[in-house]
Amino acid sequence: MSVSNENKQTELKFAVGNICLSIKTKHPDIIRKIKTHYNDFISNQTPDLHIEVEYKNILTLRRKTPFLETRSWKVYKEKGCLVFNFPRRNISTIVQLNKKLNRIKFYTKDPSCQLLLYLFPEILFSLVLPKYYGLMLHACGVIHRGKGYLFIAAD
């Protein structure tokens, strides 16, 4: 973990499946929660993906109709970039991904960091894993008598 004196951002790097993520933020609680959650994955690798988290609420979007919508989130396209909206009661989290899907702006006022810790990494990894010749599976694995068995299920 490193601190930049210039704008007092803290950076935390962790690697999952040979993909290194850098998360930078000025909010110490966000770094603390990420460090606790990804403690076994802390890395010194050069980051492949850069996420900048700003702790602020953005309630309105200037976008028209989403091109993808689920019960939990909406996706818009803006100048070739992806914009995710995660509306929650009085708090709306907005995530902007550049065209290469390697630079992410994450705007949230959610103190729990649930989206940053759980839902967003699943979405992000499903977008970028093919670029790294990987894929995400919903599965369970067991070892029995020295052999491994993988049980794959629908998400």
Side-chain angles (χ1 to χ4, degrees), residues 4-23:
S4 167
N5 293 331
E6 192 175 296
N7 50 9
K8 301 193 184 193
Q9 282 193 328
T10 303
E11 178 184 32
L12 180 65
K13 295 188 286 186
F14 60 95
V16 178
N18 279 341
I19 300 172
C20 184
L21 287 86
S22 160
I23 297 185

Side-chain angles (χ1 to χ4, degrees), residues 55-106:
Y55 192 69
K56 67 180 182 181
N57 199 10
I58 299 176
L59 289 175
T60 57
L61 286 171
R62 295 186 191 125
R63 287 132 192 105
K64 297 178 183 174
T65 307
F67 76 86
L68 178 63
E69 187 170 356
T70 72
R71 285 179 279 153
S72 305
W73 43 275
K74 300 173 185 176
V75 184
Y76 303 85
K77 256 193 167 176
E78 185 176 275
K79 299 178 184 172
C81 300
L82 295 177
V83 179
F84 287 80
N85 179 17
F86 299 91
R88 303 276 189 278
R89 295 184 191 133
N90 297 340
I91 300 170
S92 183
T93 297
I94 304 296
V95 181
Q96 297 173 320
L97 288 86
N98 70 350
K99 291 178 184 179
K100 293 183 178 181
L101 304 176
N102 66 349
R103 298 225 176 253
I104 298 114
K105 290 272 194 168
F106 198 97

Side-chain angles (χ1 to χ4, degrees), residues 78-145:
E78 185 176 275
K79 299 178 184 172
C81 300
L82 295 177
V83 179
F84 287 80
N85 179 17
F86 299 91
R88 303 276 189 278
R89 295 184 191 133
N90 297 340
I91 300 170
S92 183
T93 297
I94 304 296
V95 181
Q96 297 173 320
L97 288 86
N98 70 350
K99 291 178 184 179
K100 293 183 178 181
L101 304 176
N102 66 349
R103 298 225 176 253
I104 298 114
K105 290 272 194 168
F106 198 97
Y107 302 96
T108 189
K109 195 74 170 175
D110 178 8
S112 73
C113 294
Q114 293 299 305
L115 288 170
L116 188 58
L117 294 175
Y118 300 105
L119 180 60
F120 183 67
E122 287 183 27
I123 294 168
L124 178 62
F125 277 113
S126 14
L127 291 170
V128 301
L129 276 173
K131 181 178 175 181
Y132 296 92
Y133 304 103
L135 65 114
M136 189 179 310
L137 296 174
H138 182 87
C140 173
V142 295
I143 297 175
H144 179 68
R145 295 183 181 171

